[in-house]
């Protein structure tokens, strides 16, 4: 993989395939750019330049003690876009990566961006509060922190069940998918992954979403067991001006992998509109 160096000296690794209009993919937690294999191949074959980076402390990027926060993730994405001098970019973010996309546009604007896509994304905010009564209680995220600290290897194996809806009769479990998820998670650094839990659960992206001024597609499964639909995509679609919301019956959080064909075709249609 290629790398760029950002201002704190960290290296951000990325894949860069194909030619044409650029699509940048931001992955979810605790994964890496490998999570986008199905999209990288498909869109590269459709004549796009496809780029997927490993968030700091994930995949092949530097494992940092500090800087594992959403503002820095967005700054790293900005550095990637600027150092490669990219324009007319389609930003696609899944889960935590959707927060990264929202924070990037909210902070750096859309001068280099043509469209945005949020898939199973965490915005506006996951944590339950008086302002967000439909969110998940802090105990849920404290439990994730405790599991990562105690035995993240086993936790990542267990997480594949709700992540890919393998506890539903509609899904046939794939050991290959499970092992890939586990491997991606274990390649990252424990400190950065531990810190990231706070970022995907507590950060409020409301103001960022309001600043998005490019055509935006919000895709979410109605059986997402990781990021519940009602407190994420439904609310985000109300905050992003003129956003398109597409809800998939029975799809879970890992639908970019388990239902890649459907997601890719719909994503292509949106990009080519």
């Amino acid at each position: 993989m290629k790398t760029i160096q950002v201002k704190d000296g960290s290296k951000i690794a990325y894949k860069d395939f194909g030619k044409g209009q650029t699509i940048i993919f931001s992955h979810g937690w605790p994964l890496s750019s490998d999570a986008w294999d199905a999209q990288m191949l498909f869109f590269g074959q459709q004549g796009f330049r496809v780029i997927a980076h490993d968030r700091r402390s994930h995949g092949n990027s530097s494992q940092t003690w500090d800087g594992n926060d959403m503002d820095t993730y967005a700054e790293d994405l900005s550095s990637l876009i600027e150092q490669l001098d990219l324009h007319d970019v389609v930003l696609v973010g899944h889960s935590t990566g959707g927060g990264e996309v929202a924070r990037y546009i909210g902070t750096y604007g859309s001068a280099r961006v043509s469209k945005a896509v949020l898939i199973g994304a965490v915005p506006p905010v996951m944590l339950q509060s008086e302002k967000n009564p439909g969110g998940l209680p802090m105990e849920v995220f404290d439990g994730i922190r405790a599991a990562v600290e105690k035995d993240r290897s086993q936790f990542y194996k267990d997480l594949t069940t709700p992540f890919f809806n393998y506890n539903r009769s509609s899904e046939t479990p794939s050991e290959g998918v499970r092992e890939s998820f586990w491997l991606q998670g274990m390649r990252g650094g424990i400190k950065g992954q531990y810190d990231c839990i706070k970022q995907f659960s507590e950060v409020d992206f409301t103001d960022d979403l309001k600043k998005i001024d490019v055509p935006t597609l919000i895709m979410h499964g109605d059986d997402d067991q990781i990021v519940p639909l009602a407190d994420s995509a439904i609310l985000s679609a109300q905050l992003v001006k003129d956003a398109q919301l597409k809800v998939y019956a029975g799809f879970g959080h890992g639908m970019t992998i388990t239902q890649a064909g459907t997601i890719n075709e719909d994503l292509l249609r949106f990009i080519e509109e």
Side-chain angles (χ1 to χ4, degrees):
M1 294 178 69
K2 301 176 182 178
T3 62
I4 61 164
Q5 184 169 323
V6 295
K7 70 178 186 180
D8 70 352
S10 300
K11 297 289 183 67
I12 302 300
Y14 67 97
K15 302 176 183 181
D16 186 352
F17 303 146
K19 297 178 180 179
Q21 183 182 12
T22 303
I23 307 173
I24 297 181
F25 297 95
S26 294
H27 64 79
W29 179 92
L31 303 174
S32 72
S33 57
D34 289 349
W36 293 110
D37 278 356
Q39 287 70 43
M40 296 284 281
L41 180 61
F42 175 81
F43 284 97
Q45 291 173 334
Q46 299 300 315
F48 291 90
R49 181 181 181 184
V50 289
I51 296 174
H53 61 292
D54 291 346
R55 187 172 299 115
R56 62 171 54 219
S57 296
H58 295 68
N60 287 313
S61 290
S62 295
Q63 296 187 12
T64 61
W65 185 262
D66 298 310
N68 302 298
D69 59 82
M70 196 57 66
D71 288 340
T72 307
Y73 300 158
E75 184 177 47
D76 291 344
L77 176 57
S78 176
S79 295
L80 178 66
I81 292 172
E82 292 182 5
Q83 289 188 38
L84 297 183
D85 194 24
L86 302 175
H87 298 271
D88 194 31
V89 175
V90 178
L91 294 179
V92 181
H94 174 250
S95 197
T96 302
E100 182 179 296
V101 167
R103 180 54 52 90
Y104 169 83
I105 296 177
T107 304
Y108 299 97
S110 59
R112 293 175 179 263
V113 179
S114 61
K115 294 184 177 182
V117 182
L118 308 180
I119 306 176
V122 298
V125 58
M126 290 191 71
L127 183 65
Q128 186 181 70
S129 66
E130 289 185 5
K131 293 182 179 180
N132 186 41
L136 298 173
M138 181 64 81
E139 289 78 8
V140 171
F141 304 109
D142 285 343
I144 296 173
R145 273 183 280 267
V148 168
E149 185 175 4
K150 179 181 179 181
D151 185 352
R152 66 173 176 148
S153 179
Q154 187 60 53
F155 176 70
Y156 292 159
K157 288 185 176 182
D158 295 341
L159 183 58
T160 60
T161 296
F163 196 99
F164 296 108
N165 279 16
Y166 285 162
N167 54 350
R168 304 292 196 242
S169 60
S170 59
E171 293 291 340
T172 301
S174 164
E175 288 308 308
V177 168
R178 289 185 188 272
E179 290 173 5
S180 177
F181 184 101
W182 174 85
L183 179 60
Q184 289 178 60
M186 293 307 295
R187 286 173 61 208
I190 188 170
K191 175 58 161 61
Q193 291 177 346
Y194 183 90
D195 290 349
C196 190
I197 297 166
K198 180 182 179 70
Q199 302 308 306
F200 69 65
S201 62
E202 297 182 44
V203 173
D204 190 337
F205 299 96
T206 298
D207 290 340
D208 301 302
L209 294 169
K210 291 178 179 179
K211 293 177 183 177
I212 296 177
D213 57 358
V214 295
T216 302
L217 174 63
I218 299 173
M219 312 168 81
H220 216 103
D222 72 356
D223 194 22
D224 190 321
Q225 300 177 67
I226 305 300
V227 181
L229 169 67
D231 198 56
S232 55
I234 300 296
L235 301 180
S236 291
Q238 297 169 7
L239 292 168
V240 178
K241 184 179 180 180
D242 298 325
Q244 296 182 37
L245 172 63
K246 191 166 182 62
V247 177
Y248 296 84
F251 284 19
H253 194 60
M255 64 185 186
T256 56
I257 295 172
T258 53
Q259 283 85 21
T262 298
I263 299 304
N264 290 349
E265 290 293 343
D266 288 351
L267 184 52
L268 177 63
R269 191 176 299 110
F270 170 73
I271 292 172
E272 292 185 334
E273 287 178 351

